[in-house]
Amino acid sequence: MPVSKGRHLVMFDRRTIEDMLRDGESVGAIAGKIGVSWATVAREIKRHRTRNTTRYQNLDDKNLCRFRDSCRMTSMCRTGCNSRCSRCAGAACNRVCEKYVEVPEYPKLSRAPYVCNGCRSRITLTCRHRCWFYDADAANEEAEWAKVAGRQGVDCSPEELAAMVAVVKPLMRKGQSLSHIWQTHGSEFPIGARTFYRC
């Protein structure tokens, strides 16, 4: 399929990305299937990947401490058991040990496909890192919200807006036009001319 320039991804595309990631397909293969560039798919995955969704969950009972192999601590959960906490099925040390230091992020996640959807180690529960996931529903919801948020209001802080209003209102009461106010004070305002006239 030829690459479509400037095309926005839709829910069908995002479902295809998720399904193909789960099947272990490459970013290039996904891009070819939905007809966009490799960079578009890579950006989509990195921008909308998440730690937890209703479909994908990081396992809280997985021991993620970097000292788990050498740790000799016992009975941190105070239940009276004498086995090493680092080997406990409940992985209580993740939550209660003051010496707990999480392992660094898995280096492969800095390269395509950037997520763990199709990772064999995650599926067989042998992975000892926290995971990233791509969930089409969550990604689509996030993308739709970003579109709406980007079109709302004025792109400045409430304090900047209040300061601008404090300058403009008295001048308008004196009968000055917006054009004249912009020409004399426009360089002080945190917005452009079109936004100034609109609001």
Side-chain angles (χ1 to χ4, degrees), residues 51-89:
R51 291 286 194 195
N52 287 293
T53 68
T54 51
R55 192 174 299 138
Y56 299 101
Q57 306 263 322
N58 271 293
L59 300 175
D60 290 333
D61 59 351
K62 183 164 43 170
N63 188 335
L64 299 171
C65 183
R66 65 168 34 176
F67 306 120
R68 64 187 164 237
D69 295 327
S70 58
C71 181
R72 300 275 182 247
M73 298 288 286
T74 60
S75 198
M76 278 189 290
C77 58
R78 300 196 171 116
T79 57
C81 95
N82 292 323
S83 63
R84 283 168 48 186
C85 295
S86 60
R87 294 186 178 163
C88 176

Side-chain angles (χ1 to χ4, degrees), residues 156-167:
C156 64
S157 71
E159 294 79 19
E160 289 172 323
L161 186 60
M164 188 175 72
V165 169
V167 170

Side-chain angles (χ1 to χ4, degrees), residues 1-184:
M1 184 183 277
V3 172
S4 303
K5 292 194 176 219
R7 182 170 78 78
H8 289 284
L9 297 179
V10 295
M11 187 62 192
F12 180 79
D13 298 324
R14 293 188 169 100
R15 283 246 189 266
T16 303
I17 291 171
E18 182 184 353
D19 291 343
M20 292 182 77
L21 284 171
R22 192 176 51 244
D23 294 340
E25 298 283 353
S26 70
V27 171
I30 297 169
K33 173 83 174 174
I34 62 177
V36 295
S37 69
W38 184 95
T40 299
V41 175
R43 265 196 313 273
E44 167 70 14
I45 294 169
K46 285 194 281 189
R47 185 178 292 147
H48 297 298
R49 66 183 184 169
T50 182
R51 291 286 194 195
N52 287 293
T53 68
T54 51
R55 192 174 299 138
Y56 299 101
Q57 306 263 322
N58 271 293
L59 300 175
D60 290 333
D61 59 351
K62 183 164 43 170
N63 188 335
L64 299 171
C65 183
R66 65 168 34 176
F67 306 120
R68 64 187 164 237
D69 295 327
S70 58
C71 181
R72 300 275 182 247
M73 298 288 286
T74 60
S75 198
M76 278 189 290
C77 58
R78 300 196 171 116
T79 57
C81 95
N82 292 323
S83 63
R84 283 168 48 186
C85 295
S86 60
R87 294 186 178 163
C88 176
C93 54
N94 283 6
R95 295 180 290 277
V96 299
C97 182
E98 57 191 39
K99 295 179 183 174
Y100 171 76
V101 178
E102 191 166 315
V103 290
E105 188 164 282
Y106 194 43
K108 279 189 178 178
L109 289 171
S110 62
R111 303 190 303 268
Y114 311 106
V115 288
C116 307
N117 292 47
C119 176
R120 302 291 313 157
S121 298
R122 178 185 73 81
I123 294 163
T124 57
L125 302 179
T126 57
C127 174
R128 297 172 91 175
H129 296 270
R130 204 173 287 282
C131 299
W132 282 103
F133 303 106
Y134 181 83
D135 182 324
D137 293 331
N140 200 62
E141 189 177 313
E142 199 173 276
E144 291 298 321
W145 183 88
K147 264 197 264 183
V148 171
R151 293 176 182 147
Q152 282 181 342
V154 180
D155 191 17
C156 64
S157 71
E159 294 79 19
E160 289 172 323
L161 186 60
M164 188 175 72
V165 169
V167 170
V168 173
K169 267 192 171 180
L171 296 173
M172 286 184 75
R173 280 195 198 112
K174 289 181 183 176
Q176 291 187 20
S177 69
L178 284 176
S179 172
H180 184 263
I181 295 169
W182 177 257
Q183 285 175 358
T184 54

